[in-house]
Amino acid sequence: MPEAAAAAPKKFALQEYKTEVHVDWCPGCGDFGILSSIQQALFQLQIPPYKVAMISGIGCSGKTPHYIDTYGLHTLHGRALPVATGAKLANNQLTVVAVGGDGDGYGIGAGYFVNSGRRNVDMTYIVFNNGVYGLTKGQASPTLAKGSKTKSMPEASIQEGVNPIALALGAGYTWIGRGYALDVKNLVSLVVQAISHKGTSFLDVFQTCPVYNDLRTKEWYAGEDIGRTRIRKLDADAKWDPIVKDPASIDEIVEKKGLALRASYETGDSLATGVFYSIQLPTYDEQLAMKVPALKDHPLVDLPLYQRDVDPLFAELA
Amino acid sequence: MPTELSRREFSWVLGGPQGGGINASAEIYAKALSHGGLHVFANIEFHSNIMGKHSYYRVTAAPVPVHSHIDEIHMLVALDQESLFGDAPERKHYPSHTGHVHQVARGGGVIYDADLKIDPGRFGRDDINLYPIPFFEVLEEALKEVGKGGQSRKYIVMRNTVALGASIGISGYDEELLFDAIRNEFKGRKAEAAEMNVAAVRAAAAYARSQFKTKPERRLLPVPVESRKDRMLIKGFQAVGIAKLKAGLGMQTYYPISPATDESVYLEQKGPQYQCTVVQCEDEIASINMAIGAAHMGVRAATSTAGPGFALMSEGFGFAAITEAPGPVVFLWQRGGPSTGLPTRTEQADLQFALHPAHGDFPHIVVAPGDIDESFTDSFESFNWADRYQMPVVVLLEKFLASSMFSNDGIDMSKLKIDRGLIHQPVDADGDGYRRHAITADGISPRTIPGMPGGIFSTTSDEHDPEGHITEGIENRIAMMRKRMAKLETAAREIPASSKFTLHGPRQADMTLVAWGATKGAIVDAMSELENDGRSVNFLQIRLMRPFPADAVAAILRNARLTVLIENNYSAQLGALISEQTGIALDHHVLKYDGRPFSRNEIVEGVRSALSEQKKEVMVSHA
């Protein structure tokens, strides 16, 4: 647990992370599990609600900040990450959590997904991944596998589905995980780890869309047809170790990324969840503070604006 | 038809291949003139190319303030043949340019490399002085003096300095001022280079004086001026950058694009000591959204771009407006459009775009400063407006202003004060009853700074209720639209008239010129010449484009006897705005859209021909 929580005089109740806003997701939507997991994770970490900024994109998932009683910016389709980056760099004492759907993050926001990975600002990105565009009536999203045809699609998809974990490994995310929306207990633990990670943490979450995705239903994930769950927990294997111990070792990085990559390509009857990869590297905010020394002691937003003496700059031009 | 030598100023042009170091040389020369007490205006023109294509630096110096260039050249310094005669031989169809020899005024001079072995007849001019200088030989001589004989090939870039020296030798000027400027440029580890350059100037000046007895009729420094070592030579991007630091800028985001990049690079150099961060983003969409994120967190944020980048920022711009973000301030450095257009040339064709940067109805502010001082003030105030009215602001500028150098004796900062607007002070940690988008009469809802207990808010790019939650309710929509747009009326009321427009010259005149942006310089310089035609002239310069000072502008224009609009674009965009806002159509339009800034002569001749030929519209382009 972070120090701030230990020193907090007041204990925040779980209820304090919830708003009274009516949740208008469809009954049975996987989003409820993710919402609840984020609220419980913030509660477990005892981060004061006013120290949290929830940033979302557009789509069903975009409504999440309205339901969590913290500072919230519900932004544009695909742009949650740049807004979140600006927010964190402005005030590095905030816990910044960006949320979005798979269309939002891997489609229109793909450029920001890649570049946020290489930037490594200390924040968390959670993607609600259900394979379809819900709010526009069920078109194929970037993660829908080639050849799939949900009930809302007139024809099967002829585009390959993207592998978000593999993409994140290439982009340079320093913490990569995957959860399942209907396994809240496990998801809370992953959200806690993601938020606690220093650097950009990326958590892909298998989520069900009961209205439009009739392929990946909760029954399918539960494996009712094969008699066992399709969700495989990586840490069920005692030998699974996704953490890079020596960030200077290319060999170790390649080895760990290789294992994570292999796990990310598991399909069919076994879908890996858990922590895929973790490494501790300097964050963008730390590096910025090396350039702008005043940031070492104070967040940008607290630095004084007034009485800046620009005369020396004019003098250089004489 | 070559013009007569101007009696007022000295016009010097250094032309050569892009990447050949002409910028550094011309700026050293400009600085020497400035320190000598002359007022200087210097403007660079270059191709969108890294090395090799024709570029030229034009330095205009006068004992009185000067803000524009004139068509004629008094001293042309050519490092290559193309600078003399253009590139017609190498191009099948339209030449890019026809060189500068034809622009040399009668009695003016041309300095060029004797090694080019140009037959004097090729110049086709018997009214100018030719000064062939063996650049290489002179350089060799100078290098010998500083113990580097035989190394001319290695230091070939110093032909520029030889050219400067020849210039000084022929036109006459205090060499010491040039030496100072050189030593100032090459400091510390580069001090050795300074002495090499000083030697090159000395050798070239001596050579020129010994070889050429005929001197131009007119020499530099015709009138004694007081030495001014404190006089700045400042470019637009520097004025804007310093203003932003003075205004408390915390975060500048950008994606590299001409001609906006210089400003961000300047902030990257100077920002850290002023606690200002600069983030180079993956694209303009990220740039504006990152700045919006920072602005919502309470940091003063800006982004700088050009037309193509602003096109990508549209979406974010509307997002900032509907969420009532206190910014960002977007600095839009205009270049020739549409699309990629003319990346390194100037234009004023993004006014209507800046006025309508995104879909839907929303409030924002657009200001268009006309010179260095105004770009400083307007840049500074824009951050106050963004905070006060919680809306994005556009500062509309031009490539011309970004890269031109102007003499400046100091910017008055005494009236500039930082104003962060209305910030809600929570009474309790729960913040019960706080509404980020509360409906108020003036449209301004007190904001809070995230991280503050009791200030929690939510906001969204969807239409939202006063608490920031999504709603499509009819009454709420009407109330929110009215609330947001009311902020624009509040801004219109509170922003002082001095920021909105300026009427230069007499209140009443026979002819009223109307313009915006940095065409101001050429117009101000041209006014006295236009008065010589026997008409009194005044000039209405419009600065605040939104909220537009419609009543005041209408009053001035209704009172005007004859109106002439002058714009650096094809479609007279300010004319359209004035018509839209006041119902007044201006009598004549003088337009220029060749990607280059107005010369003073173009203003004078454009206005004259519009009047004499009774034309509604006149296009000027003095190549």
Side-chain angles (χ1 to χ4, degrees), chain B residues 167-404:
Chain B
S167 224
I168 292 282
I170 289 163
S171 61
Y173 194 68
D174 183 356
E175 282 180 0
E176 289 299 328
L177 285 163
L178 195 57
F179 297 160
D180 279 356
I182 289 170
R183 290 187 177 116
N184 207 39
E185 185 67 24
F186 299 95
K187 273 192 269 198
R189 291 213 319 262
K190 295 191 280 183
E192 192 193 22
E195 292 320 307
M196 285 161 58
N197 279 278
V198 164
V201 165
R202 198 176 276 132
Y207 179 90
R209 276 192 296 263
S210 70
Q211 294 296 310
F212 304 110
K213 302 298 174 215
T214 43
K215 290 187 179 142
E217 292 157 27
R218 191 190 131 79
R219 297 173 51 135
L220 187 51
L221 271 181
V223 288
V225 287
E226 202 182 316
S227 170
R228 286 295 302 267
K229 296 230 170 193
D230 58 338
R231 177 169 287 160
M232 283 192 283
L233 264 183
I234 184 169
K235 294 179 186 175
F237 78 80
Q238 293 162 331
V240 167
I242 299 172
K244 289 162 95 164
L245 295 175
K246 183 73 184 167
L249 178 70
M251 188 188 295
Q252 164 101 348
T253 61
Y254 81 107
Y255 183 74
I257 189 168
S258 293
T261 311
D262 285 343
E263 189 224 297
S264 292
V265 171
Y266 183 76
L267 285 172
E268 227 162 351
Q269 286 168 356
K270 311 295 180 188
Q273 51 181 313
Y274 293 92
Q275 290 100 46
C276 173
T277 59
V278 178
V279 182
Q280 184 188 326
C281 301
E282 51 269 40
D283 60 30
E284 286 87 351
I285 300 173
S287 300
I288 191 163
N289 282 293
M290 212 177 277
I292 293 168
H296 268 304
M297 296 303 124
V299 162
R300 286 197 153 180
T303 183
S304 293
T305 191
F310 194 58
L312 292 179
M313 291 183 182
S314 285
E315 181 201 43
F317 204 91
F319 167 54
I322 196 171
T323 57
E324 304 190 63
V329 183
V330 180
F331 290 78
L332 174 50
W333 295 96
Q334 299 167 93
R335 65 192 215 188
S339 191
T340 309
L342 296 169
T344 62
R345 308 292 179 180
T346 203
E347 201 163 83
Q348 293 185 306
D350 295 339
L351 171 58
Q352 291 288 347
F353 182 27
L355 289 167
H356 308 282
H359 62 279
D361 284 331
F362 58 88
H364 74 297
I365 290 173
V366 181
V367 65
D371 60 20
I372 292 291
D373 293 76
E374 291 171 7
S375 58
F376 193 93
T377 308
D378 292 350
S379 299
F380 184 95
E381 291 293 352
S382 288
F383 289 93
N384 288 340
W385 298 337
D387 272 343
R388 280 181 73 92
Y389 309 118
Q390 300 175 32
M391 59 175 71
V393 178
V394 178
V395 182
L396 198 52
L397 303 136
E398 297 117 342
K399 175 263 166 184
F400 167 72
L401 188 74
S403 61
S404 296

Side-chain angles (χ1 to χ4, degrees), chain A residues 71 75 112 119 309 316, chain B residues 245 270 274 282-283 452 461:
Chain A
Y71 285 96
T75 72
Y112 312 110
R119 202 172 274 128
D309 177 13
E316 287 174 10
Chain B
L245 295 175
K270 311 295 180 188
Y274 293 92
E282 51 269 40
D283 60 30
M452 179 191 267
S461 62

